[in-house]
Amino acid sequence: SRDDGGMNTQLTGQDSLMSNAALTTFVGRRKELTEARAALSRSRLTTLTGPGGVGKTRLGVEITQRSQRHFKDGTWFVDLGALNRGAPISPAVASALAIPDQSNRTALERVVTFLRDKELLLFLDNCEHVLPGAVEFVHRVLPTAPGVRILTTSREPLNIAGESIYLVPPLGIPSAADEQSDQNLEQFESVAFLVDRARHVIGDFAITPENRRAVIELCGRLDGMPLAIEFAAARLQSMSVTQLLDRLDHRFRLLSRGTRTAQPRHRTLQALIDWSYELCNSEEQLLWQRLTVFPGSFDLDAAEEVCGFGDLNPDLVMNLLDRLVSKSILLAERTGEAVRYRLFMTVREYGAERLVEGAASELRHRHRDCYLRRAETMVSQWCSPRQGEFILRARTERHNSMAALQWSVGTPGELTAATRLAVALRHHWVSDGYLSEGRFWLDRVLGGYDDATASPERGAALWVASWVSLLQGDHEAGAKYLAECRRVATALDDDGLLAHTWHWAGLHNLFTGDLTTAITLYERAVAAHERVGDAGGSLTAQFQLGMAQVFHGDPRIALTTCEHAIQTANKHNELWNRAYALWISGICHWMLGHHEAARIVATEALTIQKHFQDAICTALTIELLSWVAASTRNFPRALELSGAAANVWRGLGTTIGAFGPHIQQISKASANRVQQGLDPEARHSHPYGQRPLSKEEAIAVALTDSPDLSSAGEIDIEPLTRKEWEVAELVARGLTNRQVAQELVVSPRTVDGHVGRILTKLDVTSRMHVASWVEGRRVS
């Protein structure tokens, strides 16, 4: 939502302005652009101030777009208008900058760390209602991130030392004397703006001798305020400029008899919104009021479901939305075939003031129920071809879901619904990387229950909280959540809940290194999920079982597990579990020495991530491709891939070590082999210098053509000497070094040396891996 007129922008993705421009024409403002950009060059914090509707946002967008080439890491837009009054702004900034929420640090800590070495311009729009949070954010960021500059818009300054304040003036207006002159009126910015916007509703609108005086007076009466002119231009669809001026003139004469303490331009805008409101019929006014329940954008279905009740028939909402758009009260934003709507911030505030308390409460209930239903539909239909659609919608509806959660948590009697919503958003927390935020809301709802409460809702919140905390690396908290979940499941005799306690206890043991216990728990969980008909839970437990099996030294068993998971995923046409199962399959093939097969399945997993964008799976799969390159002695490619993976891990705020000691050992061993295999001058090089790669760029690097392993890559056809092969076979039989020495009639010290060289040559870290390699050689 915007507080400024003259702007109808469509910002997609992470709201980066590098590739998105305002949809409407930017008119005039040459002097303001020069002065504001000069202020930005002098100060690391520049605030564009002025009343609502003066055009702060539109000017800020233009400044940001024209400054792109001056910032190595780009220019970024963060709309704070959808935040509740007094809310912290760091989560919104983290979301706009695409900083995944993988760790258990606060959003502010993650943003500060991310920005520390960046050179970028951050545009924070609509700060006035979240000033304390904006001030705290700026105080933390600017001292620690010397390459960052911040541009803000606010109806009042932040009042921070070093802040450069630029008061955005209205558009230039002509005087009465200009009526008789021969000069082109469109040299005045307000007139040019009026003509531009009028042509959106009347294609051939022009200034004529008949309407010249009315145009001059109209722009003067509107004080050159872009939002006021935007509203007025929308009326030209049904009346002439002269008719419009006559009606406005009456409105302003009435207004002038009121208070003299308000600024004239505030009174002008108030008059325009009052008049726009009165020109709406009762149904349009009612919808205007009800639409204020949406903190950000919304779609037609949500508008019909939330606002279509009582005196407003749902069947009327679509036509009423169209009328509000045509009157410039509502903005329509298009992305392909999808259309979403949003209110200007000033317009939303105006409509909200006209809602009576009872109606507001009913709206909040309906709004929450709408997004609860959508979240629970995502859960119930998760194991389906709609996964990508669900995740995209959850990202898009984020502001609405958070507003629904906040209202539910803070409203007596709504704890159960709040819990259901926090639980139903679990795939959003995990797949989109909002782990800290998910943990926050789950802890909030769990804090509302008595410790003795045994309800299905509380039980579900406990296992989801465990999942989230385990992914954060908070293993102790994960175990505590599970212990309580097990107590609740036992009290309820709930088989589905018990299945989840075994499932996530398996993940806890996997991440803490107890693979034998993890395998037992996963096998129990898969069977339990299948008994209660939870296909998605079963699939997730299956690929995680394969992960435990492969690191336990059983790649062939793990491969069978993953093949079954992939077949089941194909049956449901789902991609999330399939991608992870492909990654584990790739590790199995790599451990068996089948490098080309490993590369093929890893590439397939990454191809899925081009569209699904799960950062964890992306980082793990690129790591695997680096191991494959190292094992085939393509050390420069391995370095390139490990560098790409490191970029994704940094973006996640974690490392591969969070996923257990076994995978960390393999990663370290591969990195050591790469360093030993590289030329000395290349060992400390960084493939991408200091420039960070985005997740999409890292995927592109990994998917670029690499040498054909079938010809050049499979160099290690027989890496072991005959004696080393004999030792490896005995190791594969489970003999200790001392037993091998007795079998070969050599000293234990000699066997120790052989085993050390075998581990180095095979690029493995354990005797189990040696056994797997030997078994693979025998089969092949």
Side-chain angles (χ1 to χ4, degrees):
S1 57
R2 315 284 180 213
D3 78 331
D4 292 323
M7 180 176 180
N8 180 11
T9 61
Q10 180 180 2
L11 303 177
T12 59
Q14 297 300 328
D15 281 349
S16 170
L17 294 180
M18 294 186 292
S19 61
N20 295 281
L23 295 181
T24 52
T25 310
F26 184 75
V27 178
R29 297 292 200 189
R30 180 178 301 176
K31 176 174 179 287
E32 289 81 358
L33 273 171
T34 300
E35 293 175 348
R37 291 183 70 185
L40 188 62
S41 68
R42 293 191 302 268
S43 173
R44 293 182 58 213
L45 171 64
T46 300
T47 298
L48 306 180
T49 66
V54 78
K56 301 186 294 296
T57 295
R58 189 64 177 90
L59 178 62
V61 167
E62 197 68 21
I63 292 169
T64 308
Q65 289 176 330
R66 298 189 185 199
S67 302
Q68 289 175 19
R69 68 179 183 276
H70 301 300
F71 295 90
K72 182 184 71 173
D73 298 309
T75 56
W76 295 84
F77 176 93
V78 187
D79 180 11
L80 306 178
L83 299 182
N84 292 320
R85 184 170 298 276
I89 74 167
S90 301
V93 178
S95 178
L97 290 171
I99 304 173
D101 190 4
Q102 180 71 17
S103 69
N104 58 3
R105 296 175 300 161
T106 66
L108 181 57
E109 291 170 336
R110 288 185 287 109
V111 172
V112 169
T113 301
F114 177 82
L115 293 176
R116 197 181 305 278
D117 60 349
K118 299 296 188 297
E119 294 180 15
L120 57 79
L121 173 63
L122 197 58
F123 177 24
L124 307 178
D125 189 33
N126 292 322
C127 290
E128 56 271 359
H129 66 304
V130 288
L131 272 180
V135 170
E136 178 192 17
F137 177 85
V138 172
H139 270 309
R140 285 290 303 276
V141 168
L142 291 185
T144 58
V148 171
R149 289 179 183 263
I150 297 177
L151 175 67
T152 74
T153 67
S154 177
R155 296 181 198 176
E156 58 180 298
L158 275 63
N159 290 321
I160 293 177
E163 178 184 20
S164 179
I165 301 169
Y166 185 79
L167 180 61
V168 179
L171 299 172
I173 57 176
S175 66
D178 293 311
E179 181 185 348
Q180 306 302 323
S181 69
D182 294 330
Q183 63 180 324
N184 180 8
L185 285 183
E186 290 189 49
Q187 68 176 303
F188 296 99
E189 293 175 337
S190 61
V191 176
F193 188 77
L194 174 66
V195 171
D196 179 82
R197 297 309 190 257
R199 286 174 179 165
H200 289 173
V201 295
I202 307 172
D204 60 352
F205 178 84
I207 299 175
T208 65
E210 291 79 12
N211 68 15
R212 184 181 177 92
R213 180 193 63 80
V215 167
I216 292 173
E217 288 193 28
L218 179 62
C219 291
R221 287 288 190 179
L222 299 179
D223 290 321
M225 294 285 282
L227 182 56
I229 294 173
E230 191 100 37
F231 281 155
R235 305 292 164 225
L236 296 177
Q237 188 172 16
S238 57
M239 62 182 71
S240 69
V241 182
T242 301
Q243 290 173 321
L244 175 62
L245 180 63
D246 288 342
R247 283 151 182 80
L248 280 179
D249 190 55
H250 176 67
R251 162 69 56 186
F252 296 146
R253 283 200 302 272
L254 289 175
L255 184 67
S256 68
R257 300 191 190 108
T259 176
R260 290 289 181 179
T261 59
Q263 295 183 25
R265 288 177 186 123
H266 280 139
R267 300 205 310 269
T268 296
L269 184 58
Q270 179 71 30
L272 258 294
I273 300 179
D274 282 341
W275 189 55
S276 293
Y277 187 78
E278 292 172 10
L279 286 176
C280 293
N281 63 32
S282 60
E283 290 173 333
E284 292 167 348
Q285 290 177 351
L286 185 57
L287 181 58
W288 180 344
Q289 294 170 20
R290 292 180 177 181
L291 290 176
T292 63
V293 75
F294 297 102
S297 66
F298 55 91
D299 58 28
L300 173 60
D301 290 341
E304 290 175 334
E305 180 177 345
V306 175
C307 301
F309 67 96
D311 295 335
L312 194 59
N313 190 310
D315 294 336
L316 297 177
V317 170
M318 182 174 68
N319 288 333
L320 293 174
L321 285 174
D322 186 58
R323 292 184 213 166
L324 292 179
V325 170
S326 69
K327 294 177 180 179
S328 290
I329 291 163
L330 195 63
L331 302 176
E333 302 173 335
R334 299 178 184 273
T335 304
E337 289 298 303
V339 179
R340 297 184 65 80
Y341 305 90
R342 70 170 70 225
L343 292 165
F344 286 115
M345 175 180 264
T346 305
V347 174
R348 191 171 77 233
E349 291 172 349
Y350 183 96
E353 289 173 357
R354 277 149 183 76
L355 269 176
V356 298
E357 184 58 34
S361 179
E362 171 70 9
L363 273 175
R364 288 292 181 189
H365 270 101
R366 296 180 67 87
H367 177 268
R368 192 275 317 286
D369 289 346
C370 172
Y371 291 98
L372 173 59
R373 180 186 56 77
R374 290 188 176 192
E376 291 188 331
T377 298
M378 175 167 64
V379 169
S380 65
Q381 299 183 24
W382 175 249
C383 197
S384 74
R386 299 184 64 191
Q387 281 179 339
E389 171 197 337
F390 287 139
I391 285 296
L392 177 60
R393 189 166 75 176
R395 292 170 190 157
T396 305
E397 303 288 9
R398 177 174 167 71
H399 285 309
N400 286 302
S401 297
M402 296 309 103
L405 261 176
Q406 184 166 12
W407 179 81
S408 300
V409 168
T411 303
E414 300 299 329
L415 179 60
T416 298
T419 306
R420 288 168 54 197
L421 181 54
V423 168
L425 288 170
R426 58 184 177 266
H427 296 296
H428 174 58
W429 307 135
V430 172
S431 296
D432 282 336
Y434 289 108
L435 296 180
S436 290
E437 189 162 13
R439 178 88 174 269
F440 170 81
W441 286 113
L442 288 161
D443 282 340
R444 284 285 301 276
V445 299
L446 286 170
Y449 290 94
D450 185 273
D451 288 344
T453 301
S455 68
E457 292 80 14
R458 180 169 179 252
L462 285 164
W463 74 256
V464 174
S466 176
W467 182 13
V468 169
S469 60
L470 288 172
L471 289 176
Q472 289 180 306
D474 193 349
H475 301 151
E476 183 179 352
K480 289 180 179 178
Y481 287 126
L482 283 173
E484 183 62 16
C485 183
R486 190 172 297 109
R487 190 191 69 77
V488 173
T490 302
L492 294 173
D493 194 22
D494 187 326
D495 290 340
L497 201 53
L498 280 170
H500 281 293
T501 65
W502 296 325
H503 183 161
W504 305 109
L507 188 67
H508 177 270
N509 282 277
L510 172 61
F511 283 1
T512 54
D514 186 354
L515 300 178
T516 301
T517 302
I519 289 170
T520 299
L521 288 167
Y522 276 131
E523 289 173 341
R524 187 182 302 171
V526 170
H529 282 315
E530 291 179 350
R531 279 197 303 272
V532 299
D534 185 352
S538 175
L539 267 175
T540 303
Q542 281 182 57
F543 88 68
Q544 291 173 353
L545 169 61
M547 186 176 176
Q549 290 169 334
V550 73
F551 294 134
H552 191 259
D554 303 316
R556 293 196 175 279
I557 297 174
L559 197 56
T560 300
T561 299
C562 290
E563 286 172 352
H564 182 266
I566 291 170
Q567 290 172 3
T568 306
N570 290 342
K571 179 181 176 182
H572 293 281
N573 291 314
E574 75 94 61
L575 296 176
W576 189 75
N577 289 291
R578 174 184 169 82
Y580 275 102
L582 286 167
W583 163 64
I584 298 296
S585 297
I587 296 178
C588 296
H589 287 300
W590 172 74
M591 281 191 173
L592 294 169
H594 306 155
H595 300 134
E596 177 65 8
R599 187 188 67 81
I600 289 172
V601 293
T603 298
E604 185 177 352
L606 272 187
T607 302
I608 291 173
Q609 295 309 330
K610 285 175 64 177
H611 308 289
F612 209 90
Q613 299 186 9
D614 184 300
I616 294 175
C617 189
T618 295
L620 291 169
T621 306
I622 297 176
E623 281 270 357
L624 169 59
L625 286 170
S626 176
W627 302 345
V628 172
S631 294
T632 56
R633 298 187 183 277
N634 189 347
F635 300 120
R637 175 63 173 167
L639 181 66
E640 180 183 37
L641 289 165
S642 65
N647 270 273
V648 182
W649 287 125
R650 278 195 296 271
L652 279 165
T654 187
T655 67
I656 198 169
F659 297 84
H662 297 83
I663 193 171
Q664 185 178 28
Q665 290 173 8
I666 294 174
S667 179
K668 286 182 177 179
S670 182
N672 289 337
R673 181 170 187 178
V674 170
Q675 287 298 308
Q676 293 171 5
L678 287 169
D679 294 333
E681 61 272 15
R683 289 176 182 171
H684 302 292
S685 65
H686 299 281
Y688 310 105
Q690 299 302 314
R691 186 182 75 84
L693 291 180
S694 68
K695 181 171 53 182
E696 291 76 11
E697 289 173 325
I699 291 173
V701 166
L703 290 179
T704 53
D705 292 336
S706 56
D708 184 359
L709 295 178
S710 61
S711 57
E714 300 288 357
I715 297 173
D716 285 343
I717 296 175
E718 196 57 74
L720 305 184
T721 65
R722 179 177 299 177
K723 181 60 69 175
E724 288 168 348
W725 175 257
E726 290 178 359
V727 171
E729 283 190 309
L730 294 172
V731 168
R733 284 165 47 189
L735 274 63
T736 65
N737 284 9
R738 183 170 297 278
Q739 291 170 330
V740 171
Q742 293 173 350
E743 182 79 16
L744 297 179
V745 195
V746 295
S747 72
R749 193 184 190 111
T750 299
V751 174
D752 290 344
H754 283 314
V755 171
R757 285 188 292 275
I758 291 169
L759 292 172
T760 299
K761 287 185 175 182
L762 299 184
D763 191 22
V764 296
T765 58
S766 72
R767 302 169 76 86
M768 290 184 296
H769 296 147
V770 173
S772 297
W773 183 86
V774 169
E775 178 65 21
R777 275 290 194 265
R778 286 172 178 160
V779 173
S780 58

